Amino acid sequence: MLKIYPVAVSMLLLASCNQPLADSFTTPATADWLTYGGTALEQRFSPLTEINSDTVENLGLAWSHEFDTARGLEATPLVVDGVIYTTSAWSKVYAFDAVSGKQLWSYDPKVPGETGFKACCDVVNRGAAFHDGKIYVGALDGRLIALDAKTGSLLWSTVTVDQSKPYTITGAPRVVKGRVLIGNGGAEYGVRGYVSAYDAQTGKLAWRFYTVPPAKGAAPDGAASDSIIEKMQATWDGDWSKFGGGGTVWDSIVYDEEFNQVLIGVGNGSPWDHRVRSNGKGDNLFISSVVALDADTGEYKWHYQGVPGESWDFTQTQSIILANLKIGGADRKVMMQAPKNGLFYVIDRSDGKLISAKNFVPVNWTSGVDMKTGRPVENPEARYGKGLFVATPSGHGAHNWQPMAFSPQTGLAYIPAQEVPLAYVSDKPFVPRQGGWNLGVNLAINTLPDDKAALKAVRSSLRGYIIAWDPVKQKEAWRVDLGGPGNGGMLTSAGGLVFAGNAKGKLVAYAADSGKELWSYDTGIGIIAPPITYSVDGVQYVAVMAGYGGGYGLPAAFAELQGPRPNGRLLVFALGGKASYKIARAPQAPPVIVQENWSPATVTKGAELYGNTCSVCHGGGARSSGVLPDLRRSGVLADKASWQAVVHDGVLKENGMVGFAKWMSRDDIEAIRAYVADRARLVAKEGDQ
């Protein structure tokens, strides 16, 4: 039975009466954390007040659990009737007693190691869903799995994607009206996005909506999206089906009960470059959009496209929060979103009409949004058609998947924001790589400089903040400088607090009204996941997954806590907690000095190949964040045959390191070795900069 605390709920309602904002349609506040965003509103706001601005200084560790992986941990744990359910890398699922930390069960879906190559942004998983005694999880290899919540035993499993294509699942499912909704990823490689609804009891497909149309002349899909195919096709040009078009629904799926609709966030185009994907023509519906679907049938209702014909990996998949706001003296039922492109959107949920949009970080790809059309006013140089363009924000996002939160008490949204510029130039000639990355953009131009002053300038351009944003005024209320990007998601509570972890490994509590730091705990592990809070037998807890990685952290050349990473942890805190805790970090190995010498042309060729292929996992300039091996320090580097066995032949594919024989020759792979060896010599000479 769910534990409901009338005192906490009444305090929340009383506080809300004194604020300009109020949500009359919230689901009942409970002591549990039942779904990804806390409730269907996805506000990540808790009514619990035992841990508050006065008592938080007494917060201490109650218990922790060490996982079997040092890969990124992005999950939002669920708490149901005194049990925590969470997921780790490689889509593993765990259940713990929420008070003692005793592990109750675990489930390993045994995802094949080579699937890791299909995952653009680490082998992460953002969490599970709970419904009717069952736990649901999307596996990296495209399966949707139902488990018995008490025992962890498998109830059913269904494949949701064509596994011969580079699809993955990293997002958390949502359960809506007895159906489990799940999307997928893979748009960097070349897939066609969609969202699917499966019967929660049987796993049978109920409906599917494709976010990108089939090619002109192709047969309909027999899907809920068939009725809108012609409208979508009119916004595309050429044969986009060669690379699927992209538009994957890899994160936000939100149920809006008031309008019986599901709001989905749709990702980037595939390839990135609009000229390659669609001959530079058309808006390319529904990439970079929010789309509203009928919750029963999956039929199209409305959409808002943030970046028509996008070319920068500006996904619109980031957190969608539902609320009622008083705007211009009127009560408006809205959704709020702060996606990668750097603009904070307030949109009417009844019809998808834009109410307001304002940049929350510096942006140079647009000067703002034309409120008559709802379209961005683009910088004519931004599409890099006439040469290089350094975009801010970039595909790393002004705000990425790390969830933001919203407090109906303060009326503020709390955004884990960042500034990560990226240089874009068309990849000419574009050479398709079946099953590999297909961006249409030359990433190698972002290779890090050797000059110390230039390197320092690059590092200083990377910024991270917590921004408290007033969605009514479209104005910043306060900010906290985190020193760099790649930080954790947000939690806010009726105790007047905001909790967030950061890349330096600290979980911090801030005053929700001012941003003043009130408490912190050093986990020793970079945190990218969002915290949650729950209560059992009247005792409130705060929990967070600590484990660095993900799309930014995996290849981050300037990562905090650089070096070999310890295994990730689940940490749970309570007032008066005194559990012991320690982290052992392995020392950084010395660079490997290779005796062979190569021509400058070979090293230059290797730099280009590395920048466009290897850097997305092993770090720019061969500077590893430590999540994956630092190739400059790998013993494999010293031996040509061993290097070829790993990189060409794929002898370590079970660990996620596939062979690249289908895309590169042995000479290409030796050129990469030459470049990495050159980087190792630089480290030996000048040290890590």
Side-chain angles (χ1 to χ4, degrees), residues 7 13 77 125 137 146 290 369 393 505 595 682:
V7 174
L13 295 176
N125 188 281
V137 65
V290 174
V369 175
Q595 299 306 314
L682 183 65

Side-chain angles (χ1 to χ4, degrees), residues 391-415:
T392 179
S394 69
H396 287 293
H399 168 222
N400 208 305
W401 66 268
Q402 292 93 331
M404 67 179 186
F406 173 76
S407 169
Q409 285 189 331
T410 64
L412 299 176
Y414 303 97
I415 312 167

